[in-house]
Amino acid sequence: MITDVHTHFWLPDHQGPPWTDGLGRVSTRLAADSIDRVTVESYRRQTAPAERTIVFGLQAQASGIVVPNDAVAAFVRAVGGQTVGFMSVDPTRHDAVEEIERCHADLGLCGLKLGPIYQGTSPLNPLTMRVFAAAERLGLPVMIHQGAIFANAGRLADANPLLLDDVAIAFPRLRLVIAHMGHPWVHETAVVMRRNRYVYADTSAIASRPTVLATALSAAKEYGVLDKVLFGSDSPMVAAGSAAAALTRVVARMQQIAHTAVTDEELHALMHRPSFDLLGIPAPAEPALVTSPDRGAHP
């Protein structure tokens, strides 16, 4: 079973400058639809062949994007049967912890998406640390964008994955997923994963950067953490099918030229990682069957 741990939901109404100014710089070569609007139909196209997915929005006022968590929860219900939702909060908001508690208790969102650089802050800012503390207390895994971005927000110095070592030490039971292997700092990501039991990373977005992807996979294998790398696409920017195909191409090329290559068996394990189990989140609920007198049971 293929699980895609990194997919997005947003609509044009959720986005403004500077986000919209920078979105045009994002490569759409591996996308299957428009990247500024996600509908149920486009989402299903973008995430095939994944059988399970995690979807989230982003709340980052400094970058001009605020996706309401209620809209994410409604989207999860509309997709039905394959998807679980993560909330997002902006740590700079005074009510960030209250919003986490509400989304967990009332909306059924089972994880948290953060992007400190998009949010104009650092993972080590006390405002962000209180968010990590709430996530650990509630048993919520955190997907964190800790790496380069296309928008002109935050400081790159605050986006280095090495900073997450301090987070993992402070919150040893918190499950963290470093998005995009923390590119371009893929070696830093690998060593943070090796030191900390519950730190993972995903392959999202870097399918469009084959050299970065190959380097990230080699680094993960050399540091003994390839089994902590999860498959992610970055839909709608990168469709899951395109991400899987790019992984296959890169691994095949690595087997020809890389000092440390990934085997076919290791690639298969990565693509079929039991990511939900590793992150401690429930499987998506199956769509309810409705019985019609003339048509029988149907979803």
Side-chain angles (χ1 to χ4, degrees):
M1 177 181 293
I2 297 176
T3 299
D4 187 341
V5 302
H6 196 120
T7 73
H8 298 274
F9 164 73
W10 48 52
L11 296 172
D13 289 349
H14 304 148
Q15 306 164 59
W19 178 274
T20 49
D21 298 332
L23 198 61
R25 297 159 53 191
V26 176
S27 171
T28 58
R29 180 173 55 88
L30 299 180
D33 288 279
S34 171
I35 65 172
D36 67 342
R37 178 189 300 271
V38 180
T39 66
V40 171
E41 293 74 19
S42 71
Y43 185 79
R44 288 173 175 158
R45 287 192 296 270
Q46 288 273 14
T47 57
E51 298 162 272
R52 287 181 177 175
T53 62
I54 297 172
V55 66
F56 36 75
L58 179 62
Q59 295 197 0
Q61 295 181 81
S63 292
I65 180 167
V66 178
V67 182
N69 289 310
D70 294 82
V72 173
F75 182 75
V76 170
R77 293 192 298 270
V79 172
Q82 73 176 62
T83 302
V84 299
F86 279 19
M87 68 197 78
S88 180
V89 298
D90 191 324
T92 66
R93 287 184 57 92
H94 73 280
D95 60 348
V97 171
E98 290 79 3
E99 177 67 357
I100 292 171
E101 293 170 341
R102 182 188 77 88
C103 291
H104 177 57
D106 298 344
L107 301 182
L109 299 175
C110 60
L112 176 62
K113 169 62 188 289
L114 291 178
I117 186 171
Y118 280 113
Q119 295 159 330
T121 188
S122 162
L124 302 185
N125 185 314
L127 295 175
T128 314
M129 293 293 274
R130 72 190 170 123
V131 167
F132 290 128
E136 183 186 52
R137 171 169 53 85
L138 295 171
L140 301 174
V142 175
M143 170 70 69
I144 184 166
H145 183 110
Q146 191 67 6
I149 62 172
F150 63 81
N152 293 323
R155 300 171 62 249
L156 283 175
D158 290 327
N160 193 307
L162 281 179
L163 299 181
L164 297 181
D165 186 50
D166 285 351
V167 175
I169 291 169
F171 307 107
R173 297 184 306 278
L174 177 65
R175 286 173 166 83
L176 282 170
V177 182
I178 305 175
H180 322 314
M181 290 291 294
H183 81 96
W185 299 290
V186 296
H187 289 92
E188 287 83 346
T189 295
V191 298
V192 173
M193 291 165 67
R194 184 177 67 168
R195 262 176 56 91
N196 298 285
R197 177 180 179 183
Y198 293 122
V199 176
Y200 303 87
D202 75 36
T203 61
S204 62
I206 55 175
S208 59
R209 298 179 174 89
T211 302
V212 174
L213 178 56
T215 303
L217 294 175
S218 289
K221 183 168 180 177
E222 289 180 358
Y223 282 102
V225 293
L226 190 60
D227 62 342
K228 299 176 76 177
V229 177
L230 315 179
F231 175 73
S233 65
D234 206 30
S235 165
M237 279 73 78
V238 179
S242 298
L247 267 168
T248 301
R249 288 193 302 271
V250 166
V251 166
R253 184 59 173 158
M254 290 174 69
Q255 291 171 356
Q256 295 175 336
I257 64 172
H259 289 294
T260 302
V262 172
T263 67
D264 292 339
E265 293 76 17
E266 289 167 334
L267 174 61
H268 183 272
L270 190 161
M271 292 295 301
H272 296 83
R273 194 83 71 213
S275 300
F276 280 36
D277 293 339
L278 293 173
L279 299 180
I281 58 178
E286 294 298 326
L289 292 180
V290 178
T291 301
S292 168
D294 54 341
R295 296 185 181 180
H298 59 89

